[in-house]
Amino acid sequence: MSAGPPKPPHRNPVLERPLKVTLSFTDSCNLNCRHCYADCSATPKPDELSAAEWCGILDRLEADGVIGLYIEGGEPLHRPDFLDVLRHAAGRFHIQLRTHGTLVTPEMAAVLRQECRIATLLVDIMGPDAATHDATTGVPGSFERATAGITAALAAGIDTQMLTIMTRWNVAGLQGWVDLAARLGVATVGILRPYPLGRLKRRWAEASLSLDEMHAALEALRLPPGMRLMQSWHPNNGNCCWQTAAIDARGNSIGCAYLREYVHLGNLREVAFLDTWNHPLHRELRSGAVTEACGDCASSQGSHGGCRSTAFAFHGRWDAPDPFDRATNNGVDLRVLPKHPV
Amino acid sequence: MFSPSIRYSQAPGLRLRPVRELGVCVVFAAEEARLYRLNAQAWLVLALCREGLSGPALQAAWREAVAPEDAALEGRPAECLQQAVELLLARRLLRQDGVASQEALAEAGGGDG
Ligand code: SF4
Ligand code: SF4
């Protein structure tokens, strides 16, 4: 007799202290993407944490038991003092670095590998060709430089993965994007859901697809042998809230980089990181206390609840179902972003 | 296995992060820039070998640390020790060195001065 579909856990695993933290190192960048979640500017804002402040935070995170860093921006490599901070973290943390790749020259790749000892480089490529990618970044030549960056990183022996955000602007080119990854020698690719944040929020109606269109695009993909695809839709709904923590460029503890516009748990210039981890809202976000969750995704991931960022964006409640999952979409049209007070 | 002439010790450059609430230990191996998640048995072996132990000393320390009726070991504590050691060796988190050759090296080094 079948036991029936697995039931989602009522609560997520409880972590007393964080294992991994995302650092949104800067809100500056040399590109100008029309979807930029961080709404980046060409120069860092004056209130961003200094390199010395970041190093102090790293020491604190290590003492608090953090073992993994996911560093993104903006574009971290755009800030001249970033390598000082990265060297400070080298050998102490497992480091994943997200970049747009245009600043990864062969010399930089050697530094990242040998001195900074990063584990993984994740490079955003927004389409299969220069026409699509450069139209997104607003900078002609960025595709050529980004793909050269991937080649340099692979040649330096860095585990290099390619990421993209699925939008109406690039969905027709997703197979070409996969084929590009294969030509470059990238073995792991990630297709990410779009988040209504920053500039993409302002162009949401133009950029977003329906959930059916997103799934159809994923299902049509043909992966070359040996390539691994990471994607954040059913049955891999992003159930990562239970272990997440993030710090933005000004030192705000924000729970997750995708919660940057909704959550402020305290500024690390004034409060201790662990106090923000124990903030009641952060505890609630990690708990999996939601009104509906997807059983299939829970059984594949050992946690449940779906993404709190997209749930909040579409429903304005922390315990709402995640509309990016088929099981909990409940008829929400992802192309229409409701207005919620934040 | 577990010969007195073999010494087991943690590989250099490991950072162990126990996650007691989940019953696992996450290990960062700096040399390879990799993270591993160890179950309780492998975690125990790695902790016991922090300073280095001979095979029989590891067996004795393991016996002392695990209760014979520990349900997680399914009544096979010796097999579980062996499995944990093999897993750690395969992941290069544990080193096994010949005691005899170490002594020979020490003696050779002692002759330098
Ligand atoms: S590359 Fe990234 S950080 Fe830079 S503008 Fe584009 S989205 Fe923003
Ligand atoms: S808000 Fe979404 S992306 Fe962020 S940790 Fe939660 S599930 Fe993951």
Side-chain angles (χ1 to χ4, degrees):
Chain A
M1 195 178 80
S2 162
K7 291 199 169 51
H10 292 299
R11 289 281 162 168
N12 282 339
V14 176
L15 273 182
E16 297 300 332
R17 291 176 299 136
L19 284 166
K20 296 190 234 170
V21 177
T22 296
L23 310 180
S24 299
F25 180 75
T26 178
D27 286 346
S28 69
C29 183
N30 53 316
L31 301 186
N32 188 22
C33 296
R34 56 188 167 189
H35 66 275
C36 184
Y37 297 154
D39 215 343
C40 279
S41 53
T43 49
K45 303 208 171 56
D47 58 347
E48 289 193 357
L49 295 173
S50 66
E53 286 177 305
W54 274 117
C55 290
I57 286 174
L58 290 178
D59 295 342
R60 191 63 252 164
L61 294 179
E62 186 183 34
D64 289 340
V66 172
I67 200 161
L69 301 177
Y70 185 100
I71 308 179
E72 56 164 36
E75 170 54 52
L77 292 168
H78 179 62
R79 230 178 85 171
D81 55 0
F82 174 61
L83 288 183
D84 298 337
V85 177
L86 200 55
R87 286 189 185 99
H88 193 71
R92 300 161 68 192
F93 299 91
H94 180 264
I95 302 169
Q96 296 179 289
L97 176 60
R98 185 166 174 184
T99 175
H100 58 43
T102 72
L103 303 172
V104 183
T105 59
E107 296 74 27
M108 176 62 79
V111 169
L112 293 176
R113 166 97 168 126
Q114 289 158 23
E115 292 178 35
C116 304
R117 296 155 75 181
I118 66 167
T120 309
L121 192 73
L122 302 118
V123 184
D124 280 272
I125 300 288
M126 301 312 296
D129 48 38
T132 320
H133 181 83
D134 293 359
T136 296
T137 65
V139 177
S142 56
F143 178 81
E144 288 305 322
R145 282 164 35 222
T147 50
I150 290 176
T151 302
L154 287 167
I158 300 174
D159 170 35
T160 304
Q161 304 179 2
M162 219 165 93
L163 300 180
T164 203
I165 297 165
M166 193 197 293
T167 63
R168 192 167 295 287
W169 297 318
N170 65 7
V171 67
L174 275 187
Q175 183 62 49
W177 177 87
V178 164
D179 297 341
L180 168 70
R183 284 199 304 281
L184 291 169
V186 173
T188 302
V189 296
I191 300 178
L192 310 177
R193 66 173 69 180
Y195 287 84
L197 298 167
R199 287 178 208 145
L200 190 55
K201 184 179 187 174
R202 300 199 282 275
R203 299 182 71 166
W204 188 256
E206 180 192 339
S208 181
L209 301 154
S210 70
L211 188 56
D212 283 344
E213 288 171 314
M214 294 175 188
H215 273 287
L218 289 172
E219 284 152 21
L221 286 180
R222 297 174 314 280
L223 293 184
M227 182 176 281
R228 186 168 77 99
L229 170 68
M230 303 179 293
Q231 56 88 356
S232 51
W233 287 263
H234 185 101
N236 305 302
N237 196 1
N239 287 345
C240 37
C241 279
W242 70 276
Q243 58 168 337
T244 194
I247 301 166
D248 77 10
R250 285 163 302 286
N252 297 314
S253 179
I254 53 174
C256 165
Y258 295 114
L259 294 171
R260 65 177 86 213
E261 293 186 12
Y262 316 129
V263 169
H264 186 308
L265 305 165
N267 187 284
L268 301 193
R269 285 174 169 137
E270 292 149 15
V271 293
F273 174 65
L274 279 188
D275 288 345
T276 72
W277 172 260
N278 287 316
H279 188 291
L281 176 56
H282 204 182
R283 285 183 171 277
E284 181 184 343
L285 292 169
R286 298 197 306 272
S287 71
V290 294
T291 55
E292 274 177 80
C294 170
D296 290 344
C297 292
S299 64
S300 67
Q301 308 198 334
S303 59
H304 82 163
C307 179
R308 293 302 84 210
S309 173
T310 44
F312 189 82
F314 281 85
H315 294 290
R317 290 187 287 118
W318 291 124
D319 62 352
D322 180 0
F324 275 69
D325 190 292
R326 275 177 162 156
T328 53
N329 172 269
N330 299 336
V332 171
D333 185 347
L334 296 181
R335 295 165 298 187
V336 182
L337 188 62
K339 286 192 168 40
H340 289 294
V342 175
Chain B
M1 199 151 185
F2 303 123
S3 140
S5 62
I6 300 284
R7 189 171 181 78
Y8 295 92
S9 52
Q10 276 187 18
L14 299 186
R15 188 174 156 215
L16 273 60
R17 165 59 161 96
V19 192
R20 294 183 201 286
E21 55 273 39
L22 304 185
V24 301
C25 182
V26 179
V27 179
F28 172 52
E31 293 285 308
E32 302 172 45
R34 286 192 66 171
L35 280 183
Y36 296 94
R37 184 182 164 121
L38 301 183
N39 63 22
Q41 288 92 50
W43 171 15
L44 173 60
V45 170
L46 203 56
L48 292 173
C49 293
R50 194 172 49 203
E51 308 292 339
L53 284 178
S54 70
L58 172 58
Q59 280 179 306
W62 167 268
R63 270 197 300 270
E64 196 175 323
V66 301
E69 68 278 9
D70 189 335
L73 305 181
E74 296 172 352
R76 300 175 292 112
E79 269 175 62
C80 290
L81 170 60
Q82 183 147 344
Q83 282 169 5
V85 167
E86 282 169 6
L87 180 133
L88 293 168
L89 289 171
R91 291 179 174 180
R92 288 185 289 186
L93 300 174
L94 194 67
R95 287 188 352 191
Q96 55 179 356
D97 302 301
V99 172
S101 62
Q102 270 191 341
E103 283 166 2
L105 274 177
E107 277 170 23
D112 277 348

